Amino acid sequence: VALLTAVSGALAVWALVASEVPRAALWTCCVLGGACALGVMGYTGLLLSDMVSIDFWHTPWLIALFMASSLSCGAAVIVGLDAALSPPSCEVSRVAWGAGAVLGCIEAAVLVAFLAVQSGYTQTARASCEALLAGSLALTFWVGVCAVGLAVPLALHAVGRLLPGRAAMMASSLGVLAGGLLLRYCIVAAASFTPLALGAI
């Protein structure tokens, strides 16, 4: 996190004070920053999945889910800021907009795989899945994560040509970011500790 902040901050300051950043320096910072960003995206999932006392988190699918969600949220930030801050005459980045749709589909697929695997893992993990799908967290999960965070943004991508481009992009980005926050809340809130066997104490 510290290294990513340092690299990103240095590049931002350099771009502000200099008329042009040398291409070699730009690529060096982007490659180094990208590697650090991957570490930042994955470390939370890695940390949680290593906690063997919580079966719901104990799977590499959690790392994949957090990374997919982080990439999707990152694309949403780029598209949202571009749509909000660019002058009316400027075109919002279509590459990031298209990437957001692909990343949203990947995130949805990884989420389904995560829940499918964990629902058959242990009784405790299954109870956590049930809390998300039909229990106390069901409303937040289905409305906040699935509808607002995944379905609505993907629907806006599908009908984007029928709506004002900037409005659709901003609405989609806000939905993805809200869904990303609620996804992390649901994953943490659904965790249940696995009872330790007496013989293991």
Side-chain angles (χ1 to χ4, degrees), residues 50 53 61 65 72 81 87 96 131 133 139 141-142 171 183-184 194:
D50 199 43
S53 61
W61 281 106
L65 177 60
S72 183
L81 288 176
L133 299 176
L139 181 62
F141 177 74
W142 288 112
L183 172 66
R184 285 152 180 78
T194 304

Side-chain angles (χ1 to χ4, degrees), residues 6 64 67 72 114 124 128 135 141 151 158 164 178 198:
M67 293 191 72
S72 183
F114 168 74
T124 306
S128 295
F141 177 74
L198 293 177

Side-chain angles (χ1 to χ4, degrees):
V1 175
L3 185 55
L4 176 61
T5 302
V7 171
S8 302
L11 184 59
V13 171
W14 195 348
L16 288 174
V17 301
S19 58
E20 184 179 357
V21 179
R23 181 173 292 273
L26 182 63
W27 275 104
T28 300
C29 289
C30 287
V31 171
L32 182 58
C36 294
L38 289 175
V40 172
M41 287 187 288
Y43 91 94
T44 304
L46 181 62
L47 178 66
L48 294 180
S49 66
D50 199 43
M51 298 181 65
V52 294
S53 61
I54 300 180
D55 288 348
F56 184 56
W57 295 344
H58 195 52
T59 172
W61 281 106
L62 183 61
I63 304 172
L65 177 60
F66 274 31
M67 293 191 72
S69 177
S70 296
L71 288 170
S72 183
C73 288
V77 169
I78 294 172
V79 171
L81 288 176
D82 197 7
L85 301 178
S86 294
S89 60
C90 293
E91 278 293 326
V92 180
S93 173
R94 294 289 172 179
V95 175
W97 173 242
V102 175
L103 291 170
C105 293
I106 293 174
E107 181 184 354
V110 174
L111 177 59
V112 170
F114 168 74
L115 292 175
V117 170
Q118 293 310 95
S119 65
Y121 182 38
T122 65
Q123 184 175 354
T124 306
R126 187 180 305 112
S128 295
C129 292
E130 291 173 354
L132 283 181
L133 299 176
S136 59
L137 295 169
L139 181 62
T140 303
F141 177 74
W142 288 112
V143 176
V145 178
C146 296
V148 174
L150 293 171
V152 170
L154 290 175
L156 287 172
H157 277 88
V159 299
R161 294 183 178 180
L162 304 179
L163 300 172
R166 292 163 66 89
M169 290 177 179
M170 290 183 66
S172 175
S173 298
L174 290 174
V176 170
L177 293 174
L181 177 63
L182 292 175
L183 172 66
R184 285 152 180 78
Y185 168 77
C186 287
I187 294 295
V188 172
S192 298
F193 284 94
T194 304
L196 296 175
L198 293 177
I201 301 177

